[in-house]
Amino acid sequence: MPAPSPATPAAPDPRRPLDRAPVVALAGNPNAGKTSLFNALTGQNQHVGNYPGVTVDKIVGRLAFEGRDIELVDLPGTYSLSAYSIEEVVTRDFVLRDRPDVVVDVIDSTNLERNLYLLLQLQELGVPVVGALNMSDEAERKGIHVDDKQLSKLLGIPLVRTVASRGTGKDALLRAVLDVADGRANSLARHLNYGEELEDKHEEVMRALETDAQFARSFSLHWVAIKLLERDPDARGKVEGSHANAAQVLEVADKASEWIKRHFGKDADVVVGEQRYAYIRGALREAVRVEPRTGRKDATELVDAVVLNRFLGVPIFLLVMLAIYALTFQLGNPLSDLVQRGFGMLGGLLGGVLPDGVLKAFLVDGIIGGVGGVLGFFPIALLLFLGLSFLEDVGYMARAAFVMDNFLHLFGLHGRSFIPLMVSTGCAVPGVMSARTLTNPRDRTLTILISPLMMCGAKTPVVAMLCAAFFPRYAALMFWGLWLFGWGTAFVTGMVFRKTLFRGEDSPFVMELPPYRLPTPRGVFTHMWHKAASYVRKAGTFILAASIVIWAALSFPRVTAYSTDYDAEARAIEAVTSARLAGAELPQDRRAAIERERARSLADLENRKRTEDAAASFAGRAGRFVEPVMRHAGFDWKVNVALFSGVAAKEVIISTLGIVYGLGGEEPDEADIAEAPLTSRIRADRAYSPASALALMVFVMIYIPCIATLAVARKELGSMKWPAFMAGYTLVLAWVLAVAIFQIGRLLS
Ligand code: GDP
Ligand code: MG
């Protein structure tokens, strides 16, 4: 049995109190409340999520407390400090290299055993630690009573109770942190005793390590020695890289671990882990009282019994998403119409006051048409983000990952792939980044390759617009179908890649299931805003720029000779109209009908002229150039131009269509065509049919990932090879499927 007794207290640093801003790092298990605490302390709005593994980078903030500046670093969540995952390496290297003055270990009080496992390892690193007993509200509710004084004494560190989501306890915590930073309180670098045999071997390795004084100054030898016994590859690397007698040290260490293995009959890291847990259990028995459970299941367990059911789990997930989309469209469509009409009117007003010419065309068609086209679908995107954020914050998304795990295995995909894929349904850029949580490079590359196939926030407006235009009664169902189609193509493509490019075993994983929590409205809205803000920012910058370029490419060179004299045709329409109106006394409704016909003929004429203009432009020529290939999918040159532009960012497809169709052109009084300008104009174009619209949606879902995704994939995978492959395979797959859909649709109709 390990003696739960401390050893080797570190002497307080004589240089204190600190004369600079102390650096304080927040460490802890995923979902322990680190980010909530970070936000409560700094007043920032960092993403608080229930996905383990979304935040793999550290986030830095500053705060002032009692006249002192403090620098705060939010580290990614980890269960341990071995070097198996990117989060563990980020956390560990930060503590080792940057040497924060204090590490605050955010402890989930409802799960002390697992959380203290990390705490012990932080202590082993030799940094001063302060524990935040977070989730203390929930622990009390569950009948877990922690004697924090007693536990603090046992562990040798200050402990403060907190409720991070409400900011409770933050002042006490900061005071404890400053006390430690300034040397007023001790946070002893207390090491648990691993038992006689292990301590002996540890001692041997320590002695070998001490032979290099330089090395001893840059690393905690105690920690390196344990890690060497555990055969930790990262620690071995550190020794090989910077210890003067690396070969000797490693020899001693290897002998020691072999001895331990023979003596205990298991690997040294297992023995060390068991000792840690034994110590924790001992400490908890002394400092924690758990009310006996009344046999009644709590709400989380009851809900999970249904939601995580082997047969119901996946259908429930699909239905939940269908409900989210149905709500989104039900509420979002009228709002989106309103915004679109607003931009249409703005364009009409500007068109009325500005003189004809390039400037007017640029402002009305280029800018209002382009940016307005994208922002018109903003309400739908916003509601969608709201729904997804809610599901995430409630804790449902983690369940979805859990139930999809088996499903993913059917396709030979790793269970953890679900998270990057689900994140990609918001945006593939963070999706590709969160594939870092897959430690096996094969699984990781594979996941990155299929992530862009998901329905993302940028494809949302395009697909939503086409659904609204061609399948108005079933828009939500269609949209959901395409969302599902994204998953389907990702799975099937993944399976094909797995069987061809990435053969091999897959590794198991454990999905954390946080308890359900009713999120605060503020939390959900912040979270939603995180996703939405980038959408608006993109519309204001990138899409604005792309709209200008596309408008120019669609406007120049100008037509030198039109196929017909449009001015003469317009005069003819006016003449015919006045002749008809000048006849005998006409009833009021008849007059109105003639006026409407005139307006419609003129708009039609305007459209023909505009189309002729666009067809002659650079972009139009490029669009026509690929027509022989794209025609098989039912796409004319206008669609091709939009698809070209969509490689920049998928939303731009809408702005390009907006420009081609002259979104801002109507007179405000033409009520019958002014409704939802782009949607109705596209519907009215005879070049489209439901089959070509469906083919277009499928094409947009699959073809070439946007530039941002390709760039981040290049960064993550370190070469141009995979992004190039991604662009190539998605283009071919998109074309084949779009052609199949269009041709089958044509046969059926
Ligand atoms: P992180 O993964 O450690 O950064 O954890 P987060 O800060 O993202 O928190 C995870 C979830 O726990 C969020 O839904 C928070 O609102 C919730 N949460 C955080 N601290 C507390 C707390 O003290 N009490 C309760 N009841 N919920 C909390
Ligand atoms: Mg976090």
Side-chain angles (χ1 to χ4, degrees):
M1 269 308 287
S5 66
T8 39
D13 191 329
R15 281 171 316 176
R16 294 158 187 225
L18 281 184
D19 49 2
R20 56 178 169 78
V23 177
V24 177
L26 297 180
N29 285 187
N31 269 316
K34 293 176 300 302
T35 307
S36 302
L37 189 61
F38 181 86
N39 289 346
L41 291 174
T42 60
Q44 285 195 29
N45 272 332
Q46 290 298 337
H47 177 115
V48 176
N50 266 328
Y51 273 129
V54 172
T55 13
V56 286
D57 277 325
K58 48 184 197 282
I59 299 168
V60 184
R62 271 189 165 267
L63 67 125
F65 178 71
E66 295 183 342
R68 294 279 293 273
D69 271 342
I70 297 176
E71 194 171 307
L72 201 62
V73 184
D74 186 17
L75 294 171
T78 59
Y79 297 111
S80 170
L81 290 180
S82 49
Y84 291 126
S85 71
I86 186 95
E87 293 95 337
E88 292 180 351
V89 173
V90 168
T91 301
R92 172 166 143 167
D93 281 352
F94 181 80
V95 175
L96 283 175
R97 287 210 197 106
D98 296 39
R99 302 256 172 147
D101 297 296
V102 182
V103 173
V104 172
D105 183 23
V106 183
I107 297 163
D108 176 353
S109 310
T110 64
N111 205 334
L112 283 167
E113 192 166 308
R114 202 190 58 204
N115 279 255
L116 294 183
Y117 190 72
L118 179 69
L119 180 79
L120 292 188
Q121 296 182 66
L122 285 170
Q123 287 185 296
E124 264 162 15
L125 281 178
V127 278
V129 180
V130 171
L133 284 173
N134 197 37
M135 309 265 177
S136 46
D137 54 337
E138 230 162 80
E140 286 295 329
R141 229 187 349 265
K142 285 192 170 163
I144 302 170
H145 304 293
V146 184
D147 180 347
D148 48 337
K149 301 251 161 33
Q150 174 72 358
L151 191 60
S152 163
K153 222 181 289 162
L154 289 171
L155 296 171
I157 59 164
L159 287 178
V160 179
R161 281 170 192 272
T162 55
V163 181
S165 49
R166 280 189 265 122
T168 314
K170 63 179 181 179
D171 286 354
L173 182 67
L174 288 174
R175 227 161 268 136
V177 164
L178 285 180
D179 283 348
V180 169
D182 293 340
R184 281 189 299 276
N186 262 337
S187 167
L188 307 177
R190 188 178 289 213
H191 305 133
L192 84 105
N193 186 319
Y194 282 108
E196 206 175 321
E197 294 91 342
L198 248 73
E199 291 289 328
D200 279 353
K201 295 294 152 190
H202 182 254
E203 194 51 42
E204 281 174 21
V205 182
M206 284 279 279
R207 272 202 300 277
L209 282 169
E210 277 162 5
T211 55
D212 180 349
Q214 177 67 32
F215 188 87
R217 268 194 297 279
S218 17
F219 294 100
S220 152
L221 294 190
H222 179 91
W223 176 78
V224 176
I226 295 178
K227 286 291 142 184
L228 287 180
L229 288 181
E230 293 182 25
R231 292 181 188 269
D232 178 286
D234 186 51
R236 292 177 74 91
K238 286 191 168 70
V239 170
E240 274 163 4
S242 28
H243 200 284
N245 308 318
Q248 261 166 286
V249 172
L250 291 182
E251 206 196 309
V252 172
D254 286 344
K255 273 216 188 102
S257 2
E258 269 157 36
W259 185 89
I260 293 169
K261 180 157 187 188
R262 259 182 286 120
H263 185 82
F264 288 96
K266 37 195 153 187
D267 283 328
D269 56 338
V270 178
V271 180
V272 169
E274 284 174 355
Q275 302 281 50
R276 286 194 189 123
Y277 272 120
Y279 176 76
I280 291 169
R281 273 195 299 273
L284 292 183
R285 196 166 311 135
E286 287 187 47
V288 177
R289 186 171 55 84
V290 181
E291 279 171 23
R293 305 215 16 186
T294 49
R296 188 174 53 92
K297 288 187 173 179
D298 68 8
T300 292
E301 281 170 273
L302 283 176
V303 176
D304 275 349
V306 180
V307 165
L308 297 182
N309 181 286
R310 202 141 51 95
F311 303 105
L312 296 177
V314 174
I316 288 177
F317 171 56
L318 298 180
L319 285 178
V320 165
M321 293 308 296
L322 179 60
I324 292 277
Y325 288 131
L327 264 175
T328 300
F329 277 87
Q330 202 62 233
L331 300 172
N333 263 339
L335 288 175
S336 161
D337 273 5
L338 211 66
V339 178
Q340 284 190 61
R341 211 175 301 166
F343 276 105
M345 264 161 70
L346 185 65
L349 277 175
L350 264 185
V353 293
L354 290 173
D356 277 346
V358 176
L359 179 69
K360 168 170 159 176
F362 171 69
L363 286 178
V364 174
D365 296 340
I367 296 197
I368 296 184
V371 175
V374 172
L375 286 185
F377 292 91
F378 185 56
I380 292 183
L382 205 61
L383 286 166
L384 193 60
F385 292 151
L386 181 67
L388 293 178
S389 304
F390 179 78
L391 289 184
E392 221 172 296
D393 291 352
V394 159
Y396 179 71
M397 279 307 175
R399 266 76 188 177
F402 186 85
V403 296
M404 293 297 279
D405 184 31
N406 279 334
F407 209 71
L408 286 158
H409 280 302
L410 282 184
F411 292 88
L413 296 172
H414 190 271
R416 272 213 166 191
S417 297
F418 176 82
I419 293 167
L421 291 178
M422 194 66 215
V423 174
S424 293
T425 62
C427 174
V429 171
V432 165
M433 289 201 286
S434 61
R436 286 186 204 169
T437 51
L438 290 136
T439 35
N440 179 333
R442 229 179 19 230
D443 289 330
R444 180 158 168 241
T445 312
L446 172 54
T447 306
I448 291 178
L449 285 183
I450 58 177
S451 289
L453 296 170
M454 309 303 295
M455 169 78 74
C456 73
K459 295 172 195 169
T460 300
V462 186
V463 174
M465 190 269 286
L466 291 167
C467 285
F470 290 95
F471 310 95
R473 297 184 59 188
Y474 306 103
L477 198 64
M478 279 303 288
F479 189 92
W480 178 74
L482 277 143
W483 170 82
L484 208 58
F485 172 80
W487 282 102
T489 31
F491 284 171
V492 174
T493 317
M495 184 164 76
V496 172
F497 287 164
R498 182 90 204 177
K499 294 232 159 95
T500 52
L501 299 172
F502 302 97
R503 270 176 266 174
E505 288 293 299
D506 58 356
S507 41
F509 94 120
V510 181
M511 186 72 215
E512 271 307 302
L513 295 178
Y516 291 105
R517 294 199 180 92
L518 197 61
T520 56
R522 194 183 120 93
V524 178
F525 276 100
T526 323
H527 195 157
M528 172 193 81
W529 187 244
H530 260 279
K531 300 181 182 186
S534 68
Y535 192 94
V536 177
R537 215 175 301 126
K538 227 158 121 193
T541 53
F542 194 69
I543 293 174
L544 179 65
S547 295
I548 293 172
V549 172
I550 291 158
W551 171 82
L554 272 167
S555 306
F556 303 102
R558 310 186 76 92
V559 182
T560 38
Y562 286 106
S563 60
T564 170
D565 186 345
Y566 287 104
D567 290 340
E569 276 195 45
R571 279 196 300 276
I573 292 171
E574 294 292 359
V576 170
T577 311
S578 4
R580 289 171 74 186
L581 290 174
E585 276 299 299
L586 286 171
Q588 193 56 40
D589 56 339
R590 182 79 194 111
R591 290 187 81 88
I594 293 174
E595 292 279 3
R596 265 207 304 280
E597 206 177 303
R598 163 176 159 269
R600 206 170 294 138
S601 309
L602 285 176
D604 200 43
L605 192 68
E606 172 70 24
N607 257 352
R608 272 167 52 211
K609 181 169 178 221
R610 194 186 279 280
T611 306
E612 204 176 321
D613 275 332
S617 68
F618 291 120
R621 282 179 213 177
R624 278 187 303 176
F625 180 72
V626 295
E627 219 169 28
V629 181
M630 302 303 272
R631 211 181 34 222
H632 302 290
F635 305 160
D636 66 0
W637 64 269
K638 294 184 225 167
V639 175
N640 299 342
V641 172
L643 291 174
F644 276 130
S645 65
V647 178
K650 297 282 158 81
E651 306 94 316
V652 177
I653 293 175
I654 294 246
S655 21
T656 308
L657 289 173
I659 298 169
V660 176
Y661 283 92
L663 175 61
E666 298 94 336
E667 303 288 322
D669 59 351
E670 287 169 38
D672 53 340
I673 29 179
E675 55 98 19
L678 185 55
T679 315
S680 60
R681 286 213 168 189
I682 285 183
R683 186 169 29 211
D685 190 327
R686 275 182 297 277
Y688 294 92
S689 62
S692 66
L694 192 61
L696 180 55
M697 288 193 256
V698 165
F699 194 89
V700 168
M701 282 295 295
I702 300 176
Y703 93 110
I704 315 185
C706 67
I707 289 177
T709 304
L710 291 173
V712 74
R714 210 210 82 151
K715 212 169 114 208
E716 294 291 308
L717 295 175
S719 92
M720 215 30 237
K721 188 179 84 176
W722 289 119
F725 174 71
M726 252 158 123
Y729 98 79
T730 50
L731 184 60
V732 173
L733 183 64
W735 185 81
V736 170
L737 288 180
V739 169
I741 289 173
F742 181 65
Q743 298 299 341
I744 292 172
R746 229 171 39 160
L747 282 179
L748 292 181
S749 67

